[in-house]
Amino acid sequence: MNYAEFYNHSVSNPQAFWENEARLIDWQQPFSQALDYSRPPFTKWFVGGKTNLCHNAVDRWIGTQADQPALIAISTETGTEKVYSFTELLAEVNRAAAVMQSLGVAKGDRVLIYMPMVAEAAFAMLACARIGAIHSVVFGGFASNSLATRIDDAKPKLIFSADAGSRAGKIVEYKPLLDEAINLARHKPSHVLLVNRGLAPMKLLADRDLDYSALRQQHFDANVPLVWLDSGDPSYVLYTSGTTGKPKGVQRDVGGYAVALASSMKHIFCGNPGETYFATSDIGWVVGHSYIVYGPLIAGMATIMYEGLPVRPDAGVWWGIVEKYKVTRMFSAPTAVRVLKKHPPELMKKYDLSSLKALYLAGEPLDETTSEWIASQLGVPVIDNYWQTETGWPILSVAKGIEDTPTRLGSPGIPMPGYKVKIINETTGALCGPNEKGVVVLEGPLPPGCMQTIYGDDERFVNTYWSDVGNAQVYSTFDWGIRDADGYYFILGRTDDVINVAGHRLGTREIEESISSHPNVSEVAVVGVEDKIKGQAAIAFVIPRNAETAATPQAKLALEAEIMAVVDKQLGAVARPSRVYFVTLLPKTRSGKLLRRSIQAICEGRDPGDLTTIEDPLSLQQIKAALAG
Ligand code: PRX
């Protein structure tokens, strides 16, 4: 079959198409109806079916590859490396599940996971999946306020955490941030389980805080029965940034997600049981959920969890891992490749990379130079893929498992199975013609694996993402895009106030709210500005309450440092603006709306666009002057 036939079948008869794909996973009870779209835009996949993500990722492989590697945990920060076979992984998951059960965690309870890239984080996720608890992993780079907001929204019974992580040889303590977050939050978890890596001293709070290793020992031989879940039961909630300061809890199901991952692993990532997959992301992001933990394991592959930088001890470190573990498929982000490009290519050439079949890149636009450079270094196809936390797996890419579709530089590719991708005019909703810029939308029903709703807020899910266009209900990706005459799509950045720094999705509103909490900040605007390495960098323009405090270069530097420290403390260094500039006026419309796009354009040396509604054109002069120093 060629790809066009395969794809057309997926959208013309989704029931039959996904019924067939559903055979890629194990079901404890078969489903009676592949798709229920009777209450659009809510989509129910595999109604009546019962399955379990942990079973499909772990237990299922015991019969055929019990002793083969399942999880390879490597930390170049602590100098540790450990390979867990499927049998060992199952034993660890059973221990974690038993510990959670002993603390009263049951089906439907939320468990918040705030962990560095250690094997225990994957055990915790899989243990939740095993017993039907809903995990919510919070990226370890987020600090106490970000964490507190998520604690209050998810209301976890249990928090799974650790003493510390390590980054570039520096210990990053987790426990103090967690303690502060719990103090800030209204909701209090019953227990906090702590993995002690021996990196930082921890003060355990009596009755609340528990040492994981002691409890693990008590449940060493545990055998926790799988809790078979309805296909539509929630598996996890993963928070992501949007237009407002309040992150959205993207809720995913069990059956649809398992099938989507199995299907994408087969057709897009072409992974086979017994091979090794290496995704360099973090479990705190969606790539970590789908393609570090669940996807590769569901495909029977070994998966690598890596704690460390791509260039430490040197820029050959990833390629040494590829050689040692015979990695066949690797997944990373353009930023990481741009960082590697600055280092001597000999470091890469030192290793035997003959096992590697393809490199997949996602999370931010892949520029042509970066793509061509890494392809020539590795001598394997570089496959761009475009998707979102909300969709859980690629919307656009090429499915080499079906047909050797050529890739096109600068384009993430063509729609993947089940995705009805359209480009529409932002105001009229009319379909755009070839090469005409519009908003990238998806026509419902969304394929399996995509978000079910915003956790606890169906209304916000519908209002945020869905609108009626013509006689179809469409989901907005909030990305600009074009489709060329041959059907290849190009992504041109966000339509909303979300920015993308080094592949990390951040909300400018969240950063603005944090900066505003500094007592000397009267007003602030944060924009994402083009950056050669990170794709975008966050830049803040601040009106200080007391102009005197930013009158001299030294005073400006001091206030800039203070503001950065506030963001570090509240949101985490990941959200810290790379520069803070001071002005006395911000560009706004006469109705008071910040003209972020004009600010961004000036920062990037472009024309600020339509300024007919601007309140005071002098404000733009101020931005220019501030940038000029
Ligand atoms: O703007 C798009 C950009 O990243 C956003 C989604 O980020 P996140 O929810 O963190 O999920 C990342 C999953 C890989 C998108 O709305 N984006 C993602 N992939 C690409 C991209 N932009 C251009 N090209 C891509 N391949």
Side-chain angles (χ1 to χ4, degrees):
M1 198 190 296
N2 65 28
Y3 184 72
E5 284 165 10
F6 187 74
Y7 172 77
N8 288 340
H9 179 47
S10 80
V11 289
S12 63
N13 193 346
Q15 286 87 343
F17 179 88
W18 291 108
E19 217 171 290
N20 196 41
E21 293 299 295
R23 289 183 228 274
L24 293 169
I25 68 154
D26 274 0
W27 294 89
Q28 188 255 351
Q29 179 180 298
F31 50 90
S32 50
Q33 191 186 354
L35 167 66
D36 173 1
Y37 198 51
S38 56
R39 198 167 68 94
F42 299 93
T43 310
K44 286 189 185 156
W45 286 100
F46 312 117
V47 184
K50 280 186 188 292
T51 185
N52 182 292
L53 279 166
C54 179
H55 167 82
N56 278 288
V58 190
D59 303 54
R60 182 186 183 196
W61 300 106
I62 297 294
T64 48
Q65 48 196 72
D67 301 327
Q68 289 200 31
L71 184 74
I72 302 164
I74 304 171
S75 172
T76 47
E77 296 286 338
T78 56
T80 50
E81 196 159 317
K82 187 162 169 142
V83 180
Y84 297 85
S85 66
F86 277 93
T87 305
E88 287 163 335
L89 177 59
L90 180 59
E92 291 293 354
V93 171
N94 267 316
R95 288 165 198 149
V99 171
M100 287 186 195
Q101 279 184 334
S102 75
L103 299 174
V105 176
K107 183 181 162 187
D109 288 337
R110 275 80 56 216
V111 174
L112 189 139
I113 300 174
Y114 180 60
M115 304 264 285
M117 286 292 285
V118 290
E120 284 82 357
F123 305 157
M125 290 166 76
L126 291 161
C128 286
R130 184 168 199 85
I131 62 174
I134 302 168
H135 62 66
S136 185
V137 183
V138 177
F139 175 56
F142 283 134
S144 41
N145 284 50
S146 309
L147 192 49
T149 324
R150 288 155 175 82
I151 292 173
D152 273 334
D153 196 77
K155 300 192 174 50
K157 189 176 245 180
L158 175 76
I159 297 184
F160 215 115
S161 191
D163 56 343
S166 175
R167 200 178 147 77
K170 263 184 35 203
I171 303 299
V172 183
E173 289 193 49
Y174 278 42
K175 180 66 166 55
L177 293 181
L178 177 60
D179 285 342
E180 199 184 328
I182 299 175
N183 274 342
L184 288 170
R186 281 184 307 278
H187 172 84
K188 309 290 171 197
S190 311
H191 292 289
V192 175
L193 264 179
L194 293 148
V195 172
N196 189 350
R197 307 175 72 195
L199 297 180
M202 282 191 286
K203 273 202 214 91
L204 298 192
L205 194 73
D207 299 331
R208 190 195 73 185
D209 297 350
L210 302 160
D211 175 43
Y212 179 64
S213 71
L215 288 170
R216 172 181 173 272
Q217 214 52 41
Q218 282 175 26
H219 296 275
F220 201 78
D221 299 316
N223 203 336
V224 176
L226 285 154
V227 174
W228 296 104
L229 300 167
D230 284 334
S231 176
D233 281 340
S235 57
Y236 69 72
V237 175
L238 177 59
Y239 288 90
T240 192
S241 303
T243 304
T244 67
K246 187 176 184 281
K248 297 179 291 239
V250 168
Q251 179 181 320
R252 235 182 277 295
D253 69 354
V254 175
Y257 188 48
V259 171
L261 290 182
S263 171
S264 66
M265 286 304 298
K266 182 171 178 207
H267 308 307
I268 305 173
F269 298 103
C270 311
N272 298 306
E275 296 177 355
T276 307
Y277 197 89
F278 180 17
T280 68
S281 183
D282 187 284
I283 46 144
W285 306 111
V286 71
V287 177
H289 284 64
S290 293
Y291 298 111
I292 294 179
V293 180
Y294 292 113
L297 293 172
I298 286 175
M301 299 177 84
T303 186
I304 294 178
M305 271 184 89
Y306 175 75
E307 181 186 52
L309 300 182
V311 292
R312 213 172 159 271
D314 62 46
V317 60
W318 281 358
W319 315 108
I321 292 173
V322 170
E323 175 185 281
K324 181 165 178 189
Y325 292 103
K326 300 195 169 43
V327 171
T328 57
R329 308 275 157 178
M330 188 163 168
F331 190 130
S332 193
T335 291
V337 177
R338 289 192 287 264
V339 168
L340 289 174
K341 193 165 168 252
K342 297 207 308 193
H343 291 258
E346 302 82 71
L347 288 167
M348 191 182 266
K349 298 274 182 240
K350 244 172 57 186
Y351 298 97
D352 173 9
L353 305 180
S354 56
S355 61
L356 194 66
K357 303 276 188 302
L359 173 69
Y360 297 83
L361 295 173
E364 52 178 318
L366 173 61
D367 56 285
E368 298 185 11
T369 331
T370 304
S371 175
E372 283 179 320
W373 177 78
I374 191 71
S376 69
Q377 291 300 312
L378 295 175
V380 298
V382 169
I383 301 173
D384 191 354
N385 55 114
Y386 158 79
W387 48 294
Q388 313 181 299
T389 304
E390 288 85 344
T391 68
W393 62 285
I395 302 169
L396 301 172
S397 192
V398 286
K400 296 271 186 195
I402 301 293
E403 187 186 328
D404 195 10
T405 312
T407 53
R408 191 161 286 189
L409 278 177
S411 163
I414 57 177
M416 290 297 95
Y419 286 107
K420 291 189 269 182
V421 187
K422 302 270 167 344
I423 307 272
I424 62 166
N425 180 285
E426 67 169 317
T427 34
T428 64
L431 217 54
C432 291
N435 299 317
E436 197 184 322
K437 181 177 166 181
V439 182
V440 183
V441 300
L442 307 173
E443 236 174 57
L446 296 181
C450 293
M451 79 189 290
Q452 294 176 294
T453 188
I454 291 178
Y455 180 68
D457 203 343
D458 284 353
E459 206 178 307
R460 189 174 174 208
F461 168 64
V462 178
N463 293 341
T464 306
Y465 293 105
W466 294 87
S467 51
D468 291 315
V469 171
N471 52 10
Q473 208 158 15
V474 298
Y475 163 93
S476 176
T477 62
F478 296 100
D479 280 306
W480 296 111
I482 56 168
R483 177 183 184 273
D484 73 12
D486 302 322
Y488 283 83
Y489 286 78
F490 294 79
I491 302 298
L492 309 170
R494 298 279 304 193
T495 65
D496 59 6
D497 297 326
V498 166
I499 59 172
N500 196 321
V501 180
H504 300 327
R505 174 168 164 183
L506 301 168
T508 49
R509 294 279 172 87
E510 277 169 277
I511 306 176
E512 285 170 1
E513 280 178 21
S514 172
I515 292 178
S516 295
S517 73
H518 186 287
N520 194 13
V521 171
S522 157
E523 283 185 62
V524 54
V526 171
V527 294
V529 175
E530 209 174 277
D531 181 276
K532 282 206 163 50
I533 297 285
K534 296 177 173 180
Q536 282 189 310
I539 305 271
F541 292 90
V542 164
I543 304 181
R545 276 188 204 287
N546 177 356
E548 295 286 297
T549 53
T552 64
Q554 289 92 325
K556 279 186 191 153
L557 276 178
L559 189 53
E560 177 176 30
E562 272 181 37
I563 289 172
M564 287 183 175
V566 167
V567 178
D568 277 8
K569 183 164 180 291
Q570 295 188 355
L571 305 181
V574 64
R576 180 202 305 156
S578 62
R579 282 303 313 268
V580 182
Y581 294 104
F582 299 97
V583 291
T584 58
L585 204 60
L586 282 169
K588 285 186 192 165
T589 61
R590 269 172 233 119
S591 54
K593 218 173 143 276
L594 266 175
L595 287 163
R596 286 194 186 74
R597 252 161 257 298
S598 306
I599 304 177
Q600 183 192 32
I602 289 180
C603 293
E604 292 178 350
R606 290 184 286 112
D607 184 83
D610 179 11
L611 294 173
T612 44
T613 60
I614 196 164
E615 191 184 34
D616 186 345
L618 271 183
S619 54
L620 290 178
Q621 296 305 330
Q622 284 215 9
I623 300 282
K624 278 188 196 150
L627 289 168

